[in-house]
Amino acid sequence: MKLHHLRNATLVIETETDVILVDPMLGKRKTIPPFTIFRYKPKRNPLVALPKNSRDILSKVTICLITHLHPDHIDKAGEVFLRRKSIPVICNIKDENALTKRGLNIIQSLNYWEPQDFLGGKITGIPAIHGYGFIAKLMGNVMGFHIELPQQKSVYVSSDTVFTEHVQKVLIELKPDIAVVACGTARLDFGQPLLMRMNDILKFTALAPEKVFANHLEALNHCPTTREELKNALADNNLLSKTAIPNDGTYVEY
């Protein structure tokens, strides 16, 4: 199994038989307004272009998972790609109507904690809480995915979440072989962070039973944490050896 990191939260899980796209933000640089104006420099998003090899990787995609509706997870270009190629989409049942209205081909929608058949294995929707405190309510529904495919390592895409009892339950009880965690510590101009603070990233990584794959870094103006800062914090806590912090356009083989 290969996990390709394209940019931000956009990743591709490739096996011998299936190529699963997660959260396609596929637009050019600066196609989305800034997410903060005051707290961080009001640069337009995404801050970086898609990597040169993304077209080759995307050409193989057979199915898509969407965790939630924010534009840094499904943008206009992502929608056009999915429509043009008639790629089947799986999402949270709460997002099904909105995505259907955008012309996407929703073949399956998930409730939290109810496993469903998926590509010969199973997929379970996991609750994700997008922020600390009241800000999570404003962020709306988010779903992580626990994916178990035949003869493959299991993958937990935790999505945009802080550390919660749900996250802990997946790591301890479902024991994913690969746990994907959003590490950018995003913040708006008001309220607490929308993603895990560093101490929670470290807790997540320590609890993960096997390997960790870090994403949601250095692509958006409201995500201050850098790859270097993350690497140093993991190294200081003896957690770097189990964690991949991929650059855009690279992959990790598991």
Side-chain angles (χ1 to χ4, degrees), residues 77-184:
E79 290 172 23
V80 168
F81 171 80
L82 295 173
R83 283 198 300 266
R84 188 177 289 155
K85 298 210 152 205
S86 302
I87 288 171
V89 173
I90 296 175
C91 65
N92 187 337
I93 199 163
K94 295 176 178 176
D95 294 333
E96 183 175 9
N97 285 344
L99 291 170
T100 300
K101 281 180 187 158
R102 298 184 195 182
L104 302 191
N105 174 26
I106 311 299
I107 58 157
Q108 207 170 346
S109 57
L110 306 179
N111 284 308
Y112 296 123
W113 292 118
E114 292 181 12
Q116 290 190 22
D117 292 341
F118 177 65
L119 304 177
K122 66 177 178 176
I123 186 168
T124 306
I126 309 295
I129 308 299
H130 198 343
Y132 296 93
F134 78 91
I135 203 95
K137 287 262 189 298
L138 302 178
M139 294 294 103
N141 313 310
V142 186
M143 179 175 273
F145 301 107
H146 184 260
I147 303 162
E148 298 163 273
L149 300 177
Q151 283 87 54
Q152 301 290 341
K153 294 194 182 309
S154 58
V155 182
Y156 171 36
V157 179
S158 61
S159 186
D160 283 13
T161 189
V162 297
F163 194 92
T164 66
E165 62 192 334
H166 305 291
V167 171
Q168 183 165 310
K169 181 177 175 180
V170 174
L171 296 176
I172 291 173
E173 294 181 19
L174 300 185
K175 295 186 166 45
D177 296 310
I178 305 156
V180 180
V181 58
C183 294

Side-chain angles (χ1 to χ4, degrees), residues 202 205-206 231-243:
L202 295 171
T205 306
K231 187 176 169 184
N232 290 339
L234 290 165
D236 289 345
N237 289 272
N238 297 315
L239 293 168
L240 190 56
S241 60
K242 72 191 289 193
T243 309

Side-chain angles (χ1 to χ4, degrees), residues 2-7 10 12 14 26 49-61 247-252:
K2 287 180 184 172
L3 256 64
H4 299 267
H5 173 67
L6 294 192
R7 176 181 60 187
T10 305
V12 173
E14 181 180 6
L26 304 180
L50 275 173
K52 296 268 193 294
N53 61 342
S54 58
R55 184 172 290 184
D56 290 343
I57 298 164
L58 291 167
S59 71
K60 300 188 249 180
V61 166
N247 289 320
D248 295 357
T250 65
Y251 67 85
V252 182

Side-chain angles (χ1 to χ4, degrees), residues 33-37 40-45 47 219-223:
F35 291 122
T36 72
I37 305 293
Y40 307 115
K41 286 181 183 165
K43 296 176 179 172
R44 288 181 66 83
N45 295 302
L47 304 176
L220 302 170
N221 90 300
H222 69 327
C223 290

